[in-house]
Amino acid sequence: MGAGPAGLAAADAALAAGAEVTLIDSAERPGGQYHRMLPEAYEATDPGALQHGYRSFDRRSRRVLGHPRCSWWAESSVWALERRDAEADGPPLVHVLRGTHRRRHVLEPDALVLAVGAHDRVLPFPGWDLPGVYTAGAAQALAKGERLVVGDRVVVAGTGPFLLPVATSLLDAGSRVLAVLEAGRPGSVARGWLRRPWELTSQLGKSGELLSYSAALGRHRVSYRMGTAVVEARGDGRVEEIVSARVRADWSVVPGTERVITVDALCVGHGFTPQLELPVAAGCELRRGPAGSAAGPPADPFVAVDDDQRTSRPGVYAAGEITGVAGAPAARAEGGVAGWIAAGGDPGSRALATLRRNRDQGRAFAARLALAHPVGRAWPGWLRPDTVICRCEETTYAAVRRSADDPTSTEPRVAKLATRAGLGPCQARVCGPTVAELRRSTDTGPGPHHRPVAEPIRLGELARPPEPPPGPATPSTHPDSPTEESTS
């Protein structure tokens, strides 16, 4: 479930192990955010533009989608997972709305691999809800997937290495990027990345990516400033200028360092939040991820898995960023392990041992990433009483704080009703982690991720009886079926 790097690798491995596979994704084409594909008009003249590792991905994609035992369900959404009776073994039933016609199906898989990824986290600040302020992922998606520029004078800000490919994608699409502002201070970032430096030898591929991004910023004379954050956006009807400031290690603002920059777009990203609605619906246990620092906020929860990517639920496996944010190579390795084991592949396979080794290196990278780019605990100091926290319901910081200080609103559900934060269309996907942090919640349970209905469904669709699912596609339905190629 999910056709990004982890999901596609899981499907590839499961097919190699002899299974029939149904691959489901909400997008029109596979790849996820990392391998977001250009429109066909661009691909005809510039295949693989704005893509790292595109050709390897393209080979795998063609191999999977062209396989006679694979059913590719594009533009489809899993709106619920229904746990079976206690006496019944196996994964939950999968409720799907398939394709643009939203045909309703119920799948009964022998094994279920969840690879649904993560989405951007953006910390609120005054003016973050102005038009022209984008999440870093959204800006990159427009650049990579549509060749659309978000502005002519753009600043990319936040924390983490993801800011670099975002800025590079914007430059390649034609934007002028004025600066990349990394909130982490040089000492903190260096300590995180250089801890146990000999382990970095396994990440030489990422070093090459880093060099290519740095070279692109250098060619376009884009400044990269560390220990600097955007603390306010201003404008009449849309963003026109931003206020940046130097920040300490805890992200408190250094007085007198504020600087105004004229922009027409701002792209912000403060890490990623795993999409846990479906794992929680399946009953998977969660664990805390690696903490950035003892002084920082509690780490996000992730799906707990064993050495074979099994979750706590029988027949349910998890891979990719729902188990920890470690990048596409680690996600591919996790997906390969999950798909192979879920399909009953030989647990003593040499290829599986290689995948496990790559997976473990990716997990070490995730821990290093969390140490190098933690979110500082003092960021709420950027906020004002009227700063919007929940954009759907226009809940302000003052309202969230009143709820946090109210002894009758200690339960998250009571607080949600009192503030309405998380009751809007996004159902707390954007504001949930922020509200929990502002309330200083240490709950390790499902929290804002608990949703019996994971995706919107119309009443008419719900009332319509499900149709029998179609079988695997035949090679004739895939004119671009690849030639024989070994599983990678």
Side-chain angles (χ1 to χ4, degrees), residues 241-322:
E241 63 183 25
I242 61 170
V243 179
S244 68
R246 300 284 294 174
V247 293
R248 302 182 180 92
D250 64 357
W251 289 17
S252 58
V253 173
V254 178
T257 63
E258 294 85 355
R259 176 186 174 193
V260 177
I261 305 173
T262 301
V263 300
D264 59 7
L266 170 65
C267 307
V268 193
H270 299 99
F272 297 93
T273 298
Q275 299 192 106
L276 298 178
E277 293 84 8
L278 293 177
V280 167
C284 302
E285 289 183 4
L286 305 181
R287 62 166 181 82
R288 284 291 177 192
S293 68
D300 282 328
F302 294 94
V303 179
V305 294
D306 66 9
D307 195 51
D308 290 330
Q309 301 300 130
R310 290 187 179 93
T311 71
S312 60
R313 301 298 299 179
V316 180
Y317 300 76
E321 295 186 327
I322 56 174

Side-chain angles (χ1 to χ4, degrees), residues 159-203:
T159 190
F162 183 56
L163 303 181
L164 299 177
V166 170
T168 302
S169 294
L170 294 172
L171 290 168
D172 288 342
S175 287
R176 179 187 174 196
V177 178
L178 303 179
V180 175
L181 307 181
E182 162 63 59
R185 295 183 65 83
S188 300
V189 173
R191 280 193 298 272
W193 284 116
L194 297 180
R195 176 177 173 269
R196 301 168 68 91
W198 57 89
E199 293 180 352
L200 290 172
T201 56
S202 64
Q203 304 293 334

